[in-house]
Amino acid sequence: MLGESDGDFEATEAPAEWKDESAVILCQKTYISFLGDKRRKGTKTKGITRKRVLIQDQTALDDYSEYHYQSSDAVGLFIIKPDGKKEEIDISKAVRVESDVPRSYASSYQSSDYYKIAIPNLAIGDILDYFKVFTEKYTSDVNIIAPISSFYPIKYQELIFDVEKRWKFRYNSFNGAPSFIQKMEGGLDGKGRKSIGVSRFTIKDQMRSTYKAVSYTHLRAHETK
């Protein structure tokens, strides 16, 4: 999910009408699964988030000069230079954070400790492409508020949720956010196989300007016994 084969993350240029924005999110996607775990006789939530950001001025450069993540995350950070050269950022020297986390990296559905790492060699005109894979604690009730508008414009984005039958999944959209679409062919099970026993719900959205009133979705997943 959301890996090298995902062509949506090959975008390198911002729309002309956003040339004066500090940054443009070229593509972002979040995938979360609500599945059972037979070995532990419980449930688990697992997710992937990937974002590709074009840095267009000093304000955005300052905003993205450090990357924050949680201890429950597996992360990857890459800088793509204008000539196409790709540089991977070493996160082995990340330090634990006690202070407030920047709004770009704060999560409403994770609860582990935060760490940060400086991003060297990032410059205006570069693209920052980063991902995280996370597993949250076993739980039977999950509430998520997912904004689809941001303080930077977004060229393309998706929210993808895979929900096993043992979960009840309720959702709604507000302030102009698109409605969810259920994919009848199903989603992925715990082994990454397509299964009609897993329902998939998606939102696709593009050319989302910076927010005035925040467009968002509210979701609640509840395990049924």
Side-chain angles (χ1 to χ4, degrees):
M1 294 293 296
L2 318 188
E4 291 294 332
S5 62
D6 192 327
D8 292 329
F9 286 98
E10 295 179 0
T12 58
E13 297 182 358
E17 61 262 42
W18 292 339
K19 63 181 178 63
D20 295 326
E21 296 283 350
S22 293
V24 174
I25 300 171
L26 300 175
C27 185
Q28 68 177 18
K29 296 186 181 184
T30 295
Y31 168 83
I32 301 178
S33 62
F34 300 93
L35 305 175
D37 187 349
K38 296 179 181 178
R39 292 177 299 175
R40 301 194 184 190
K41 296 181 179 180
T43 56
K44 64 180 179 180
T45 59
K46 182 177 181 179
I48 307 168
T49 294
R50 185 178 174 188
K51 186 177 291 190
R52 188 174 175 93
V53 184
L54 175 62
I55 308 298
Q56 298 197 134
D57 71 9
Q58 187 63 44
T59 298
L61 189 61
D62 293 342
D63 280 351
Y64 286 98
S65 62
E66 292 181 333
Y67 179 75
H68 290 67
Y69 65 97
Q70 295 195 48
S71 58
S72 58
D73 298 337
V75 303
L77 294 166
F78 302 89
I79 297 173
I80 295 92
K81 294 294 183 179
D83 63 1
K85 182 181 177 182
K86 187 174 183 179
E87 302 175 3
E88 184 171 4
I89 305 303
D90 180 9
I91 65 167
S92 62
K93 296 182 179 180
V95 296
R96 186 175 175 179
V97 177
E98 300 290 347
S99 58
D100 291 339
V101 175
R103 55 187 179 176
S104 302
Y105 301 115
S107 172
S108 64
Y109 45 85
Q110 290 176 265
S111 57
S112 54
D113 293 333
Y114 276 95
Y115 287 77
K116 69 177 181 180
I117 185 72
I119 302 178
N121 302 322
L122 187 65
I124 295 171
D126 289 352
I127 292 171
L128 181 63
D129 194 328
Y130 60 92
F131 71 85
K132 67 176 181 178
V133 180
F134 59 90
T135 302
E136 187 62 13
K137 293 179 180 178
Y138 293 83
T139 182
S140 60
D141 198 359
V142 180
N143 277 284
I144 298 173
I145 295 176
I148 64 164
S149 51
S150 175
F151 43 90
Y152 292 131
I154 304 168
K155 186 176 181 181
Y156 182 77
Q157 62 183 320
E158 287 186 30
L159 296 172
I160 307 162
F161 295 88
D162 281 351
V163 185
E164 201 175 51
K165 288 182 177 179
R166 68 186 298 166
W167 289 82
K168 282 187 177 180
F169 189 64
R170 299 181 178 92
Y171 52 90
N172 208 342
S173 299
F174 301 89
N175 292 343
S179 298
F180 275 93
I181 297 174
Q182 183 174 357
K183 299 292 185 180
M184 302 311 296
E185 64 270 23
L188 302 179
D189 65 15
K191 294 184 178 180
R193 302 170 301 190
K194 182 73 73 174
S195 171
I196 59 173
V198 178
S199 298
R200 172 165 291 186
F201 301 87
T202 65
I203 277 181
K204 295 183 179 182
D205 185 60
Q206 57 187 338
M207 299 302 291
R208 179 68 53 173
S209 298
T210 53
Y211 63 69
K212 295 179 182 178
V214 179
S215 301
Y216 65 96
T217 60
H218 180 212
L219 312 104
R220 181 180 180 184
H222 179 77
E223 181 194 3
T224 58
K225 302 299 183 180

